[in-house]
Amino acid sequence: MKTLVSRSCKERVLPTLSQLCCENAGAEIMAQKAEILYFEIFALKTPAALILKQEALSLGAELALPKDAILGKVERVDALLIVSLRILPVLLQKIANQPFGLRALAATLQTHYVAAMKMPSPPKIMGVINLTPDSFYAQSRVGLHDAIDKISAMIRDGADIIDIGAASSRPGSGWIDPNEERARVVDIFNEIRTQNLAKEAIFSVDSYTPEIVALALESGFSIINDINGMRDPQMRALAAQSTASVVLMHIVGSPETMQHNPHYTHVLCEVDSFFEQQIAQLRDDGFGGEIILDVGIGFGKRVQDNLDLIAGLTHFAHHQMPLLVGASRKSLIGTICGDVPAELRLAGTLALHLCAARKGAGIIRCHDVKEHKQAFAIEQALGGIA
């Protein structure tokens, strides 16, 4: 049995309640009635579905079921539970001791309830520095002499995190030789350490090579951003021995093969299963630090998969880990908007990232720091993010 969640937003109601001079505690209670959660439940036992429907209806919620469930013709069914945030905990109490797997379902729904109680806040901005000659967005490429200037500019523009990589991960690119990757980063890393730039921003290393990650950690970096999803045991061991945070990104295959006819039965379920597996692997290997989840926009995904992941980002909040989204100037924008080149995809990028922030993204990875800082400030002023 698998459960997915999406939601409407109570945040739009809170400003109006504030204008009415409602007490904060009362406003929060009333706003919970406006927050509607939608749970897709797969392979639910039919007796459990009938019990759940009865209990939901008794509270003013609803469980949508196929006709065959009502007629008792199938053993398991998919269902859609529609319930307000205010009613959900009462419903959970009513089903927590019920048979047919409802106890396990209640436990799963409880994790989503806890996540839903947390209001989204303005995300941290992660600026991208590409020390590569072949990254998909040419204007993001920098060399040794420009990199420090660009880092300083991003910090002035409001970047919270600077993500530095020297191995292109654009579709079709192969794994880079570690010696070549080291040659591209070593002087920049040394300069970051010499200037003590880690006091001005958090530095993240975008690499799947343990030797490069080790060098970055020695230079003051505090986030490991591995597009390979920490599948490498050596990378997991390195992370476990450090105090760094880890970005756990979903990818199918490698950059060279990831866009060769990717296919998902249900992309949110499959990405979530990957997270569960890799989180468990990291913990088993002794990593006790912060894990940041990245759904991997553009990494082995079709356009609709990417859109589904951003629209359904709220689902992954049940892990209670920061969520990272990086859709900056990626090809799905060009595809949707009519073959628009990377240089003209800023508006589409902002639209995707604003949606991701509303859905709970805690970190936005982007090329255009100043523009994102401005967009999030306006969204916050409108009450879209707290």
Side-chain angles (χ1 to χ4, degrees), residues 254-275:
S254 68
E256 190 171 14
T257 63
M258 63 189 181
Q259 292 306 116
H260 293 177
N261 300 315
H263 176 75
Y264 301 87
T265 300
H266 202 304
V267 67
L268 271 75
C269 285
E270 291 170 55
V271 171
D272 201 45
S273 294
F274 170 82
F275 284 153

Side-chain angles (χ1 to χ4, degrees), residues 15 121-122 354 373-386:
S121 56
L354 282 167
K373 193 75 173 179
Q374 187 178 98
F376 293 140
I378 297 298
E379 179 73 0
Q380 184 178 5
L382 289 169
I385 46 180

Side-chain angles (χ1 to χ4, degrees), residues 64-179:
L65 294 171
K67 181 174 64 175
D68 284 348
I70 307 299
L71 299 176
K73 292 183 176 181
V74 288
E75 293 184 2
R76 290 181 179 268
V77 294
D78 296 340
L80 176 66
L81 175 62
I82 306 168
V83 58
S84 75
L85 184 59
R86 181 65 175 162
I87 289 175
L88 180 58
V90 182
L91 179 62
L92 295 183
Q93 287 181 348
K94 291 173 76 71
I95 68 170
N97 294 312
Q98 296 277 16
F100 306 115
L102 285 172
R103 178 177 295 184
L105 176 62
T108 298
L109 295 179
Q110 177 66 26
T111 65
H112 289 291
Y113 171 71
V114 171
M117 288 296 290
K118 297 180 180 179
M119 291 178 61
S121 56
K124 293 179 179 178
I125 297 177
M126 175 186 275
V128 178
I129 299 289
N130 284 320
L131 303 174
T132 58
D134 57 346
S135 59
F136 80 93
Y137 177 38
Q139 293 181 30
S140 71
R141 304 169 192 166
V142 294
L144 171 61
H145 301 296
D146 301 325
I148 297 299
D149 287 343
K150 189 164 185 178
I151 290 169
S152 298
M154 282 187 169
I155 294 172
R156 288 195 303 271
D157 289 342
D160 303 286
I161 305 167
I162 305 293
D163 190 49
I164 301 179
S168 177
S169 56
R170 61 180 172 77
S173 60
W175 300 118
I176 189 174
D177 181 89
N179 291 326

Side-chain angles (χ1 to χ4, degrees), residues 154-337:
M154 282 187 169
I155 294 172
R156 288 195 303 271
D157 289 342
D160 303 286
I161 305 167
I162 305 293
D163 190 49
I164 301 179
S168 177
S169 56
R170 61 180 172 77
S173 60
W175 300 118
I176 189 174
D177 181 89
N179 291 326
E180 183 177 353
E181 187 177 1
R182 180 185 177 89
R184 292 177 183 176
V185 303
V186 63
D187 290 335
I188 301 298
F189 286 5
N190 287 338
E191 196 66 23
I192 290 169
R193 181 174 60 247
T194 300
Q195 294 191 28
N196 202 14
L197 292 178
K199 279 193 172 183
E200 300 182 42
I202 298 168
F203 281 83
S204 166
V205 56
D206 179 6
S207 178
Y208 43 73
T209 308
E211 301 95 310
I212 302 303
V213 170
L215 183 63
L217 296 177
E218 292 169 6
S219 303
F221 286 56
S222 53
I223 298 179
I224 301 169
N225 186 9
D226 175 18
I227 67 160
N228 200 32
M230 300 300 290
R231 291 183 175 94
D232 185 344
Q234 190 177 348
M235 189 73 87
R236 295 195 299 271
L238 182 61
Q241 295 162 11
S242 75
T243 59
S245 301
V246 162
V247 176
L248 186 58
M249 195 195 82
H250 176 270
I251 185 175
V252 174
S254 68
E256 190 171 14
T257 63
M258 63 189 181
Q259 292 306 116
H260 293 177
N261 300 315
H263 176 75
Y264 301 87
T265 300
H266 202 304
V267 67
L268 271 75
C269 285
E270 291 170 55
V271 171
D272 201 45
S273 294
F274 170 82
F275 284 153
E276 290 173 354
Q277 174 185 317
Q278 293 305 107
I279 290 168
Q281 185 71 71
L282 275 164
R283 296 307 190 205
D284 287 347
D285 287 353
F287 180 73
E290 179 184 56
I291 299 174
I292 300 162
L293 304 180
D294 180 353
V295 294
I297 300 299
F299 287 85
K301 316 288 193 308
R302 300 162 297 188
V303 169
Q304 191 59 51
D305 298 326
N306 292 312
L307 298 176
D308 289 345
L309 285 166
I310 292 175
L313 192 68
T314 301
H315 170 72
F316 301 103
H318 75 92
H319 291 287
Q320 299 186 52
M321 295 174 176
L323 304 176
L324 184 154
V325 170
S328 188
R329 297 183 179 267
K330 289 189 174 177
S331 62
L332 79 153
I333 301 168
T335 301
I336 293 169
C337 298

